[in-house]
Amino acid sequence: MKEVSFIRQNIEKWKSLEKVIDSAAMHNPGELADTYTEVTADLSFSRAHYPASRITVYLNSLASALHNQLYKNKKEKYSRIITFWTHEIPEVMYHSQKELLYSFLVFTLSALIGVVSVLNDDTFVRLILGNGYVDMTLNNIENGKPMAVYDSSDKLPMFLRIVFNNIGVSFRTFAMGILTGFGTGLILFLNGVMIGSFQTFFFQHGIGWESVLAVWLHGTFEISAIIIAGAAGFALGNGWLFPGTYSRGYAFKRDAKRGLKIITGLIPVFIMAGFIESYLTRHTEYPDSVRLSVILFSLSFVIYYYIILPHLKHHGTLSETKN
């Protein structure tokens, strides 16, 4: 690669890294370490291809400045566990907005496929959900308890089973990104078709609204988390497929780390989804207004924390407001 192309591709990134160094006190050690990794990777590339260039001197100065900041902040405080949720997750989500959009589109289109398929073929829902589940649900509908499936187990065992299952699904969704993102897309597709078929099935039997209030009471967190896990999987696939100016191995490790942060940040979301499904969803006697309020609150939290807050944090809007 020509030196001018190398500079043109990375100059904006280096400018942003300069700002990180200038405001190092406002960043946690994890962010500084990530920045240092990026700078040293560029520095290694520059030393190998343009050893006598001024850009190599420039990158070396950036790396030295960051090294000094990291050494000064070597001992991490217990507040790291707080800054992980308040700074690191929003920052990594800001850099994953494109993957998040792709994940959302794949899931939404898949859900629409499920809807259209059930509307055009009554047997399709049995293919997706299984004869046993469909027959059980039809029997529950006849008995006037369409959501009885959520009251079929003791609360605590159900909670533990759901949480571990959902965390497992999220890790598989992320890990399948190693198949260039195709594996992640496949999991999103299957889950999207399933939820589209499931909801359409209930609407066909005249209990669509009740199913929405029951399913999305916990499903708002659960489905949102799967979509966000899909973003982590696509990030992993992008690092493998599109390394840019970095080596493929380095880009893969960098985006694998980004994806792991996203998945780790989802664990409390899955815990909350499991709690709601185990302890609240079974109470279909609760007023519609209460259940709808929980759904709207859950949706508002997901949108704010994973979409709005990352932009506010990255552009310093919150810091400027505080000052």
Side-chain angles (χ1 to χ4, degrees):
M1 178 187 294
K2 292 183 178 180
E3 182 180 357
V4 65
S5 299
F6 175 66
I7 296 173
R8 186 181 299 114
Q9 287 183 12
N10 294 282
I11 187 63
E12 294 301 324
K13 179 182 69 175
W14 295 332
K15 288 180 180 179
S16 66
L17 297 184
E18 286 183 21
K19 293 179 181 179
V20 171
I21 297 172
D22 292 339
S23 58
M26 299 173 60
H27 296 272
N28 61 67
E31 291 178 273
L32 294 178
D34 290 343
T35 302
Y36 182 70
T37 301
E38 290 194 39
V39 171
T40 53
D42 288 341
L43 176 59
S44 297
F45 183 89
S46 185
R47 279 175 173 169
H49 295 83
Y50 329 111
S53 172
R54 287 195 299 174
I55 198 62
T56 302
V57 176
Y58 166 73
L59 289 172
N60 187 64
S61 66
L62 279 184
S64 298
L66 269 170
H67 180 271
N68 292 335
Q69 291 294 338
L70 281 169
Y71 182 79
K72 185 171 65 176
N73 293 283
K74 190 174 182 181
K75 293 184 178 180
E76 295 186 14
K77 300 179 180 178
Y78 289 111
S79 61
R80 170 69 191 278
I81 196 171
I82 297 176
T83 58
F84 177 79
W85 305 104
T86 60
H87 291 83
E88 291 186 47
I89 294 299
E91 184 65 20
V92 78
M93 286 307 305
Y94 175 83
H95 293 290
S96 305
Q97 293 296 295
K98 180 174 64 176
E99 291 87 351
L100 181 60
L101 176 61
Y102 294 159
S103 183
F104 173 78
L105 290 176
V106 170
F107 184 89
T108 302
L109 290 174
S110 302
L112 291 175
I113 290 173
V115 171
V116 173
S117 298
V118 174
L119 290 175
N120 287 277
D121 183 358
D122 292 338
T123 64
F124 184 78
V125 70
R126 291 182 175 274
L127 175 65
I128 299 300
L129 301 178
N131 288 324
Y133 185 86
V134 172
D135 291 337
M136 176 194 67
T137 303
L138 289 173
N139 186 58
N140 289 338
I141 293 173
E142 290 178 3
N143 294 331
K145 296 181 178 180
M147 299 295 123
V149 65
Y150 296 111
D151 194 21
S152 59
S153 303
D154 292 334
K155 295 176 181 178
L156 182 58
M158 183 178 179
F159 166 73
L160 295 175
R161 184 176 69 254
I162 289 171
V163 169
F164 283 109
N165 177 71
N166 288 342
I167 291 175
V169 170
S170 72
F171 270 95
R172 285 195 297 275
T173 304
F174 162 63
M176 289 295 280
I178 199 171
L179 301 177
T180 65
F182 175 80
T184 295
L186 179 60
I187 293 178
L188 289 169
F189 173 78
L190 294 176
N191 278 275
V193 170
M194 183 177 67
I195 194 65
S197 303
F198 183 82
Q199 287 286 193
T200 306
F201 171 71
F202 279 106
F203 272 97
Q204 285 180 325
H205 289 82
I207 50 173
W209 177 243
E210 176 58 33
S211 73
V212 168
L213 290 176
V215 172
W216 291 98
L217 193 66
H218 61 272
T220 302
F221 277 136
E222 187 176 295
I223 298 302
S224 296
I226 291 175
I227 293 173
I228 295 167
F234 284 139
L236 182 64
N238 284 344
W240 182 253
L241 281 175
F242 309 110
T245 59
Y246 303 112
S247 69
R248 196 173 301 277
Y250 169 77
F252 177 76
K253 292 177 182 178
R254 178 197 62 190
D255 289 325
K257 181 179 180 181
R258 176 160 61 111
L260 279 173
K261 278 189 177 183
I262 295 174
I263 295 299
T264 303
L266 285 173
I267 291 177
V269 178
F270 280 124
I271 291 175
M272 183 57 67
F275 175 83
I276 294 174
E277 184 171 358
S278 305
Y279 289 87
L280 300 181
T281 302
R282 63 182 65 209
H283 292 289
T284 56
E285 75 278 7
Y286 285 172
D288 291 358
S289 59
V290 173
R291 293 191 288 171
L292 183 60
S293 296
V294 174
I295 293 172
L296 293 176
F297 173 80
S298 302
L299 181 61
S300 298
F301 171 81
V302 169
I303 292 174
Y304 178 77
Y305 186 73
Y306 287 99
I307 299 177
I308 298 176
L309 183 61
H311 284 274
L312 296 178
K313 286 283 187 180
H314 184 80
H315 295 293
T317 305
L318 293 180
S319 300
E320 292 174 6
T321 301
K322 290 180 180 179
N323 293 334

